[in-house]
Amino acid sequence: MARKADALIDKQTLTILEQLQTKTVGAPPTSSGLVGDQLPANIVSIQDYDLVKNQINLEVENLEALNALNTLGRITDLQGYGPIVDSGEITSVTLDASGSGGKVKCATPSKGEVFDIQGMDGTWNTSPGTSITFGFYIHNDKTDVEILLGTTSSSSTNPGFDVNDFLNAPFYVTYPFSLRATASSLGSAATCVINTYHVRVR
């Protein structure tokens, strides 16, 4: 356990904390309206954590600094220990156009978050009347570069999308990327609601 008294007399620990003293533990709540490029620049990042972590050797003289790093990693969620309790969420988006113009964001982690995609399905407003091919993409929201992960086809009114259809599970999405989907056509339907279940692992 890292204690303030120990940290104040340990040079390596002080160095770590001095480099991060202007940083906040996490982002403000989404209710603040500060999202994307509006987020404060002083939110601690994985790059900040890696920078200080990479300065410490694994030796007994650095035990207090290692304790401090462990505390920082846990409190900022920059150390992954599996699914985060109470972090499961189903997001729903409506696909109402076909092709690239109708592409929708199914899962979009915020800065500092990593999603583990567990499952997906769709619900058409009425039967499409034909087999529809769905495409799944991983998209870099900063550079606008994306790759096609895979496709799956279904004529069902309620198609189920196994994550293994486009990439072996577990399938992680991390900021600044988003998971996106598109449909080859809408058939005789007008809209398809795509649901995505994910849990946070960081």
Side-chain angles (χ1 to χ4, degrees):
M1 180 176 68
R3 300 190 314 164
K4 181 178 179 180
D6 295 327
L8 289 173
I9 61 175
D10 183 78
K11 184 177 179 180
Q12 287 280 37
T13 305
L14 270 177
T15 299
I16 291 171
L17 297 175
E18 285 172 354
Q19 290 180 75
L20 298 177
Q21 64 181 345
T22 62
K23 302 292 183 178
T24 61
V25 169
T30 54
S31 59
S32 69
L34 299 176
V35 296
D37 293 339
Q38 296 176 330
L39 285 169
N42 64 332
I43 301 169
V44 68
S45 68
I46 190 64
Q47 289 81 13
D48 297 324
Y49 184 68
D50 284 343
L51 178 64
V52 295
K53 180 181 67 176
N54 294 338
Q55 297 172 19
I56 307 300
N57 293 331
L58 291 171
E59 52 191 22
V60 68
E61 288 82 2
N62 292 331
L63 183 58
E64 190 57 40
L66 292 170
N67 281 333
L69 278 175
N70 187 48
T71 300
L72 289 168
R74 287 174 178 270
I75 201 170
T76 57
D77 285 332
L78 295 178
Q79 289 180 171
Y81 291 98
I84 297 174
V85 176
D86 298 332
S87 67
E89 183 179 359
I90 295 176
T91 56
S92 301
V93 293
T94 300
L95 191 157
D96 58 10
S98 61
S100 59
K103 195 175 295 176
V104 291
K105 290 184 178 183
C106 302
T108 309
S110 298
K111 186 176 179 64
E113 296 180 341
V114 179
F115 291 171
D116 181 355
I117 309 299
Q118 295 285 304
M120 302 177 69
D121 71 5
T123 303
W124 290 99
N125 68 307
T126 188
S127 173
T130 187
S131 181
I132 305 296
T133 298
F134 294 88
F136 301 93
Y137 301 79
I138 191 73
H139 185 102
N140 187 319
D141 293 337
K142 283 192 172 181
T143 65
D144 227 22
V145 174
E146 67 181 14
I147 60 172
L148 174 66
L149 299 173
T151 61
T152 185
S153 299
S154 174
S155 58
S156 172
T157 305
N158 299 106
F161 310 130
D162 188 331
V163 175
N164 288 305
D165 285 341
F166 51 89
L167 202 67
N168 289 334
F171 174 53
Y172 300 113
V173 181
T174 183
Y175 178 90
F177 291 86
S178 60
L179 174 63
R180 302 191 181 196
T182 188
S184 58
S185 74
L186 302 183
S188 55
T191 61
C192 182
V193 175
I194 297 181
N195 306 298
T196 303
Y197 172 61
H198 61 78
V199 294
R200 277 191 59 194
V201 295
R202 182 171 294 175

